[in-house]
Amino acid sequence: MRLKNQVLISLLTILFVFTFSSLLWAESPGEVIVETVNKGLEILRDPSLQDVGKISERRQKMWDILIPVFNFEEISRRALGQHWKNRTAKERKEFILIFTNNLKNTYLYKTDSYANEKIIYLQENRQGNRSKVQTNFVTTEGKKIAVDYSMHRIDNTWKVYDITIEGVSMVSNYRSQFNSILHKSSFEELIQKLKEKEKELDEI
Amino acid sequence: MKHCRLIFLIGFVLLMFSFSVSTSGAQDIISSDDYVGYHEDDQDFDIEETPDINDPYESYNRVIFKFNNTVYHYILNPVSQGYDFLLPKKVQSSIDKLFSNAKMPIRFFNNLFQGKFETASTEMGRFLINSTIGLGGLFDPARSVFNLEIHTEDFGQTLGYHGMGSGNYIVWPILGPSNGRDSIGFIVDIAFDPLTWLSILPVEPDEVFSGINGVRYVNGYSYNVRDNYEDIIKLAIDPYISMRHAYTWSRRKKVEE
């Protein structure tokens, strides 16, 4: 009986310590963004990864940093907007996979030319489980670009579901394209177009 | 110079035409960017109210968009890449600042037109500082030393500030994406542009004006536009729609500020 109690108490203690520490360790949305961007810029500046032959290794390292911070399922769902609800589970899965890959190739390609950029944290606007983190991205020439990260909290971690650059939301930009395509053609054709784009992106 | 005036005249007529048509029958040709939220809290928090973009001339616009692409690809980009080869980005940045400084009257008056007296006087202050110790605007000590940030306003924003809708989306040959409101703004701003004043002065030969204008255009394109434009063309799934969305929203943000 005593032993049982001891086990129970120690289990409870462990549980308590874990939940409490996870609460303590949970980062604010702003911290997640600044840390992630700085980690990414560090990789881009890493002298051992500057070689042209190292590009794919560098991109993979960047991607490993980004995966845990982005919620690609939510991004896909929002990008498809009103058309999401009529898709079967299988179609959704396929769409998430191919669209995520598309985003991966698009944005990793864009980061290739970055190195001496900086991020300036401005403020965050949190409402419950949602938050908008406002930052400035400063280019090498000192141009300031307003970049806002829309985030939501899932299982106590903050994840990005949209990025707004100078007032232009990435998700809604894709949504307007998908809407226009689905207005004229079928979902299968949209998937086909995404696949074609992926091939193009592989080549650049 | 004669050609310039002719182009503006044609542009203006087309613009008026676009407005007269847009008021009559544009309602039925609306691109639906609407989005049905799935989480109840979405609506309050996100800027998801994607507004309809009026684009009744989409098929014509797409033709012009394609034409512009060809011109950019075969003429402007090679020129711009040559320009990049000649002048490093740092120098382009200074030239960009120089032209930006010269365009102060556009910002000054449009700040005034929107009742933003403080930022208008900031613009005046920036002009005085940058024109003197900033060597005519090549450098920006007003910002780096005096912390005076630039406040870009144009007449399109002024019209938007006073409640005018953006009108129909238009893609102009060479000039690129615009809308009814911003096209009027573009024409009005020409009047506040010191380069226009320079072109009217009888002492300056037209070649000087065209030369300066050419450098301004190529530098502006190389420094501010080309890479973003190329990104959209290369990366978007439907570049025309992506550009229309990006133009509309970035202008919207500027009007709101």
Side-chain angles (χ1 to χ4, degrees), chain B residues 44-232:
Chain B
D44 338 309
F45 199 69
D46 297 332
I47 37 154
E48 290 290 7
E49 7 84 63
T50 325
D52 291 327
I53 298 168
N54 285 328
D55 192 4
Y57 318 127
E58 182 173 338
S59 44
Y60 302 99
N61 281 340
R62 278 190 188 265
V63 173
I64 305 291
F65 184 74
K66 217 169 175 183
F67 166 78
N68 285 350
N69 261 346
T70 316
V71 173
Y72 291 177
H73 190 76
Y74 290 104
I75 300 171
L76 197 50
N77 283 353
V79 170
S80 163
Q81 274 146 9
Y83 188 78
D84 272 5
F85 180 74
L86 290 174
L87 298 177
K89 286 286 167 195
K90 280 239 152 98
V91 179
Q92 292 183 18
S93 162
S94 272
I95 294 175
D96 189 66
K97 289 194 181 96
L98 186 76
F99 283 120
S100 165
N101 188 53
K103 273 162 76 176
M104 185 280 287
I106 296 180
R107 294 189 295 273
F108 176 75
F109 284 110
N110 282 300
N111 272 296
L112 277 190
F113 294 154
Q114 297 176 39
K116 297 173 177 170
F117 300 111
E118 222 180 296
T119 47
S121 67
T122 304
E123 275 303 323
M124 186 56 89
R126 279 178 51 81
F127 181 73
L128 293 175
I129 294 166
N130 286 347
S131 302
T132 50
I133 44 178
L135 303 181
L138 284 171
F139 301 96
D140 190 357
R143 197 187 78 149
S144 53
V145 182
F146 298 92
N147 270 327
L148 296 174
E149 293 283 341
I150 192 163
H151 292 277
T152 312
E153 296 289 351
D154 55 45
F155 201 72
Q157 285 166 256
T158 297
L159 292 172
Y161 177 85
H162 290 291
M164 182 175 180
S166 55
N168 293 333
Y169 181 72
I170 309 167
V171 182
W172 291 108
I174 313 296
L175 297 172
S178 187
N179 56 43
R181 182 194 64 208
D182 292 341
S183 303
I184 295 179
F186 178 80
I187 292 164
V188 172
D189 281 333
I190 291 171
F192 295 107
D193 189 342
L195 261 192
T196 317
W197 309 343
L198 185 72
S199 75
I200 292 167
L201 287 179
V203 277
E204 297 287 351
D206 272 1
E207 288 76 23
V208 174
F209 169 70
S210 326
I212 294 173
N213 228 358
V215 173
R216 168 157 84 169
Y217 188 67
V218 172
N219 191 77
Y221 181 74
S222 305
Y223 186 67
N224 293 316
V225 181
R226 195 186 67 219
D227 290 348
N228 294 331
Y229 184 83
E230 289 274 278
D231 274 350
I232 289 187

Side-chain angles (χ1 to χ4, degrees), chain A:
Chain A
M1 201 54 203
R2 240 185 100 202
L3 190 71
K4 259 192 178 170
N5 266 350
Q6 264 184 346
V7 171
L8 193 68
I9 287 169
S10 47
L11 274 178
L12 278 175
T13 319
I14 290 169
L15 196 71
F16 178 75
V17 168
F18 265 79
T19 27
F20 193 67
S21 65
S22 85
L23 279 179
L24 271 181
W25 285 85
E27 289 175 298
S28 76
E31 281 166 352
V32 173
I33 292 304
V34 172
E35 218 170 82
T36 309
V37 173
N38 280 333
K39 263 195 230 163
L41 288 171
E42 233 167 73
I43 287 178
L44 295 172
R45 282 188 211 113
D46 188 343
S48 70
L49 295 170
Q50 291 306 313
D51 208 56
V52 187
K54 296 273 174 133
I55 278 191
S56 61
E57 189 188 334
R58 204 170 71 171
R59 284 189 184 179
Q60 191 52 48
K61 283 199 168 177
M62 281 290 283
W63 187 238
D64 293 341
I65 288 174
L66 299 179
I67 288 174
V69 187
F70 283 79
N71 184 349
F72 288 105
E73 196 185 327
E74 181 73 6
I75 291 172
S76 307
R77 193 179 67 79
R78 284 168 175 270
L80 217 47
Q82 53 174 340
H83 302 285
W84 177 264
K85 63 173 185 285
N86 297 329
R87 305 271 71 86
T88 64
K90 198 180 154 227
E91 284 175 327
R92 287 177 184 175
K93 219 172 166 187
E94 189 188 13
F95 179 77
I96 294 169
L97 195 76
I98 191 163
F99 185 46
T100 303
N101 219 345
N102 212 291
L103 289 173
K104 175 184 172 184
N105 289 333
T106 302
Y107 287 92
L108 292 186
Y109 157 77
K110 271 189 154 180
T111 58
D112 280 348
S113 56
Y114 292 158
N116 297 314
E117 283 72 8
K118 269 187 297 187
I119 179 175
I120 300 176
Y121 169 84
L122 299 176
Q123 58 169 336
E124 62 187 88
N125 174 9
R126 201 197 289 194
Q127 277 176 23
N129 282 328
R130 281 168 195 278
S131 183
K132 187 161 240 187
V133 178
Q134 291 176 300
T135 70
N136 271 343
F137 192 72
V138 188
T139 67
T140 321
E141 293 106 40
K143 259 194 261 181
K144 276 184 190 165
I145 301 162
V147 183
D148 301 346
Y149 299 85
S150 302
M151 303 176 84
H152 63 173
R153 185 158 54 185
I154 292 177
D155 304 330
N156 216 29
T157 44
W158 287 94
K159 296 200 181 226
V160 177
Y161 65 82
D162 195 6
I163 300 178
T164 304
I165 300 164
E166 289 289 341
V168 182
S169 141
M170 173 197 82
V171 166
S172 100
N173 192 284
Y174 276 107
R175 188 163 56 238
S176 68
Q177 296 177 55
F178 295 157
N179 266 339
S180 162
I181 291 167
L182 289 170
H183 191 64
K184 294 170 214 144
S185 43
S186 68
F187 184 73
E188 287 69 37
E189 278 169 277
L190 172 64
I191 293 284
Q192 200 49 45
K193 281 201 165 141
L194 282 166
K195 281 183 181 160
E196 279 163 24
K197 196 79 219 174
E198 206 174 304
K199 264 190 209 148
E200 274 177 55
L201 290 169
D202 273 342
E203 282 157 23
I204 53 173

